[in-house]
Amino acid sequence: MSLDNRPVFTGGCQCGAVRFRIEGALGRASICHCRMCQKAFGAFYAPLVSVEVDRLRWTRREPRRFRSSNHVLRGFCETCGTPLTYEAPDGLALAIGAFDDPSTIAPEVQFGGEAKLAYADHLADLPMRETIEDGAEISYLADIRSLQHPDHDTDPKDPT
Ligand SMILES: [Zn+2]
Ligand SMILES: [Zn+2]
């Protein structure tokens, strides 16, 4: 929480070059199935939460932007490629997975239904495994070390 008790949300890209901080409540969380969002996220759909622009600060580098249409910019980390923003004339949204704690940002609505991949409705039915279960078959998992930026702000001089 910030000094005046407004909630604070932080997050950033996988390498930590781009970090963001929001003071105050987030807007509506959604997933978008549209073809533009599939491409921009390299995924079945885009998980996004709207944010008031004046509550958002980029605390390290800003994202680089790709203009995906005459009205929309897509922000991403130019070092590691993490998708970060959807920026339209009527507002900005951040990628939910880029937050340090995405667990509380549950989507409430779906958009872009015309492009929805049919199997997107059945993902929850797929068999589930945990990473550790594959340890015996995938030998490199035994001594794997993450180089991903941790899920909290760090001293820029000491990124671990
Ligand atoms: Zn990055
Ligand atoms: Zn979309």
Side-chain angles (χ1 to χ4, degrees):
M1 303 284 264
S2 60
L3 290 176
D4 55 1
N5 279 338
R6 289 192 302 176
V8 172
F9 299 88
T10 56
C13 65
Q14 188 169 26
C15 79
V18 180
R19 295 281 302 167
F20 58 79
R21 176 183 174 90
I22 300 126
E23 292 197 16
L26 302 173
R28 185 165 65 167
S30 63
I31 60 173
C32 184
H33 297 277
C34 86
R35 187 62 189 134
M36 290 263 199
C37 283
Q38 288 174 5
K39 273 284 189 185
F41 281 74
F44 308 141
Y45 46 75
L48 290 161
V49 61
S50 63
V51 171
E52 285 185 30
V53 176
D54 58 1
R55 294 180 178 175
L56 169 66
R57 273 195 307 123
W58 299 106
T59 55
R60 292 189 178 182
R61 271 193 257 159
E62 284 215 15
R64 185 159 180 189
R65 270 93 175 184
F66 171 67
R67 178 170 290 287
S68 59
S69 74
N70 56 334
H71 293 308
V72 174
L73 297 171
R74 306 278 183 163
F76 59 95
C77 174
E78 66 180 328
T79 300
C80 70
T82 302
L84 292 165
T85 70
Y86 168 92
E87 301 175 41
D90 62 347
L92 181 147
L94 286 170
I96 295 172
F99 281 73
D100 289 332
D101 179 11
S103 68
T104 60
I105 311 171
E108 297 166 26
V109 62
Q110 307 182 70
F111 296 113
E114 70 286 346
K116 188 179 75 176
L117 298 165
Y119 54 71
D121 284 336
H122 306 291
L123 299 176
D125 303 329
L126 298 176
M128 178 78 78
R129 295 176 62 82
E130 296 194 9
T131 308
I132 197 76
E133 294 178 63
D134 296 321
E137 298 148 45
I138 305 174
S139 58
Y140 69 79
L141 288 178
D143 68 345
I144 197 164
R145 280 182 304 112
S146 172
L147 301 176
Q148 176 167 288
H149 188 274
D151 281 329
H152 55 79
D153 285 325
T154 57
D155 182 339
K157 284 169 247 133
D158 176 20
T160 56

